[in-house]
Amino acid sequence: MQVTRATFDEVMVPNYNPAAIVPVKGQGSRVWDQEGKEYIDFAGGIAVNVLGHCHPDLVATLKEQGEKLWHLSNVFTNEPALRLGKKLTHATFADKVYFANSGAEANEAALKLARRYALEHFGEDKNQIIAFNQGFHGRTFFTVTVGGQSAYSDGFGPKPGAVQHVDFNNLDALKDIISDKTCAVIMEPLQGEGGVISSSQEFVEGVRALCSEHNALLIFDEVQSGVGRTGNLYAYMGLNVIPDILTTAKALGGGFPIGAMLTTSEIAASLKVGTHGSTYGGNPLACAVAEKVLDIVNTPAVLQDVKRKEQLFRDGLEKINQKFNVFSEIRGEGLLIGCALTEQYQGKARDFLVASAANNMMCLVAGANVVRFAPSLVIPDEDIAEGLARFERAIEHVVNS
Ligand SMILES: Cc1ncc(COP(=O)(O)O)c(C=O)c1O
């Protein structure tokens, strides 16, 4: 059956507006479309393809598990889920893991757990959730309400209540509203969708202290910043601040859908049998692939190289900017990089993305004013150089149009 981009408009719900091409093959950091045109991938499936496309070890693991056991549901446990659970708890502050299928579901579990924990330990008045403006936590109704972008959460009727937002990196604003009625504060240690914005050390330390003072749980949403993206396995490890709950997804499966919520034994005890669940959570195929991703990423060879590759990006982007003066700031950490556009190009990030695609390079935006890169952590240096050369041609096109 012949399908094209036009088929999308024919049969798909119109909530997405995908690019004009239809990719059919990927290898490492290169992708090919139906016409055989080749692209350098700096988007990484929105910070997911942490080992590039079709990494041979991941392909082998998926094939091997695919011939053994696909699915059981949570009526039974399975070996890949148990092994991944052990490795995640061994590698982090956490004692316990809950498996989900996406970032939103991992956050949904985290928020429900925080509410239940507060109810059990402090009573029903302790239910306030504080989140940050421009934060992003997923698209279920609870998580999108907690996210700090009303454009995503408005227009669906009454929202889950007791959710408040304050400005990111503004400790005084948090101090003003946090109280003993706060059950949780949720934040991305490095905001992704909101514009690639790092949290200051003072801010995260302050948030941690305020949460402890008010017996509020600190939830780190590391769905985008986790699994090596910043050069640490999780961003909290570079901040010396330990959350009570951490969520991870995206890169965890390297392209196979999986999410997880990590926490301590004491907090986990509130998700008793039957309180929460998912048919696919802990699926053997997903867990086998994620275990292999973790084995590969959580090594000095990969993690240390993230910082070196970040420098290659920064040097290349600075050089481009000297020529065209289109970025006011190049920011982010590790291989989550944001190029904030100057005054002249405000609102035009998408033009850069479209011009990049026309020049055979895939990138992302983070809001209307930031071009974002979230490539594979093992992208070859030659592909970084070639992708940046294509980006330079794209910028030249935008500047001259
Ligand atoms: C920080 C963060 N949390 C949660 C999500 C939602 O993840 P998913 O789309 O897998 O539900 C995203 C997705 O962009 C994210 O960046």
Side-chain angles (χ1 to χ4, degrees), residues 16 46-48 101-107 135-140 143 186-194 220-225 247-250 257-259 336 372:
Y16 301 119
I46 319 188
V48 165
N101 312 292
S102 65
E105 285 180 49
N107 284 328
F136 188 82
H137 302 296
R139 297 285 200 139
T140 65
T143 59
I186 181 167
M187 64 179 280
E188 296 160 80
L190 167 60
Q191 283 193 339
E193 302 299 310
F220 270 7
D221 176 347
E222 293 232 29
V223 168
Q224 189 152 163
S225 61
T247 55
T248 176
K250 284 192 184 276
I258 183 169
L336 182 57
R372 176 175 38 148

Side-chain angles (χ1 to χ4, degrees), residues 26-344:
Q27 191 62 58
S29 283
R30 305 226 173 193
V31 172
W32 289 264
D33 71 11
Q34 284 179 321
E35 318 285 294
K37 237 171 115 180
E38 170 253 301
Y39 299 80
I40 301 267
D41 185 1
F42 282 176
I46 319 188
V48 165
N49 297 67
V50 79
L51 297 174
H53 296 274
C54 298
H55 187 287
D57 293 357
L58 299 190
V59 173
T61 300
L62 185 57
K63 280 186 179 162
E64 197 187 316
Q65 187 58 41
E67 285 174 359
K68 272 193 201 158
L69 190 63
W70 280 37
H71 178 69
L72 288 161
S73 87
N74 290 296
V75 173
F76 303 94
T77 188
N78 65 78
E79 289 181 352
L82 295 169
R83 282 198 305 266
L84 180 60
K86 267 200 161 267
K87 287 183 181 178
L88 282 170
T89 53
H90 182 73
T92 66
F93 73 95
D95 312 307
K96 301 279 183 185
V97 183
Y98 166 83
F99 286 122
N101 312 292
S102 65
E105 285 180 49
N107 284 328
E108 186 82 19
L111 295 164
K112 282 178 73 178
L113 170 58
R115 281 267 176 89
R116 182 57 70 99
Y117 177 83
L119 180 72
E120 280 186 358
H121 292 81
F122 304 97
E124 62 187 19
D125 283 348
K126 193 174 177 69
N127 57 26
Q128 181 199 39
I129 289 166
I130 302 178
F132 296 96
N133 291 325
Q134 305 311 318
F136 188 82
H137 302 296
R139 297 285 200 139
T140 65
F141 207 14
F142 197 178
T143 59
V144 84
T145 301
V146 169
Q149 301 187 49
S150 53
Y152 295 152
S153 58
D154 285 0
F156 299 100
K159 295 175 183 172
V163 176
Q164 278 182 280
H165 297 94
V166 291
D167 281 346
F168 194 57
N169 276 329
N170 184 338
L171 205 53
D172 289 336
L174 179 62
K175 262 185 209 156
D176 282 347
I177 64 162
I178 197 167
S179 74
D180 289 348
K181 290 192 174 166
T182 307
C183 84
V185 175
I186 181 167
M187 64 179 280
E188 296 160 80
L190 167 60
Q191 283 193 339
E193 302 299 310
V196 189
I197 301 168
S198 300
S199 48
S200 74
Q201 185 67 36
E202 189 196 352
F203 180 66
V204 262
E205 283 174 12
V207 175
R208 175 67 275 180
L210 284 170
C211 285
S212 300
E213 186 185 328
H214 293 285
N215 288 317
L217 299 182
L218 176 57
I219 304 170
F220 270 7
D221 176 347
E222 293 232 29
V223 168
Q224 189 152 163
S225 61
V227 196
R229 180 65 46 199
T230 62
N232 288 292
L233 182 62
Y234 286 99
Y236 85 84
M237 295 168 176
L239 290 164
N240 285 323
V241 163
I242 297 177
D244 299 299
I245 301 177
L246 180 147
T247 55
T248 176
K250 284 192 184 276
L252 182 60
F256 204 100
I258 183 169
M261 178 197 68
L262 312 179
T263 190
T264 63
S265 297
E266 201 249 327
I267 298 165
S270 290
L271 276 195
K272 295 183 177 59
V273 172
T275 47
H276 190 58
S278 151
T279 300
Y280 284 116
N283 170 272
L285 293 167
C287 290
V289 175
E291 182 194 2
K292 184 54 80 177
V293 169
L294 202 62
D295 285 347
I296 297 172
V297 171
N298 196 18
T299 54
V302 171
L303 293 176
Q304 284 167 14
D305 217 32
V306 168
K307 290 282 180 200
R308 191 186 60 81
K309 289 185 196 295
E310 172 188 3
Q311 204 51 51
L312 293 181
F313 269 97
R314 283 183 180 273
D315 292 347
L317 290 166
E318 294 287 359
K319 223 157 143 195
I320 292 173
N321 204 32
Q322 275 162 20
K323 207 159 153 189
F324 296 104
N325 196 27
V326 287
F327 310 135
S328 58
E329 191 187 1
I330 295 159
R331 62 195 186 209
E333 281 165 55
L335 288 174
L336 182 57
I337 296 168
C339 305
L341 298 172
T342 54
E343 205 55 49
Q344 192 185 345

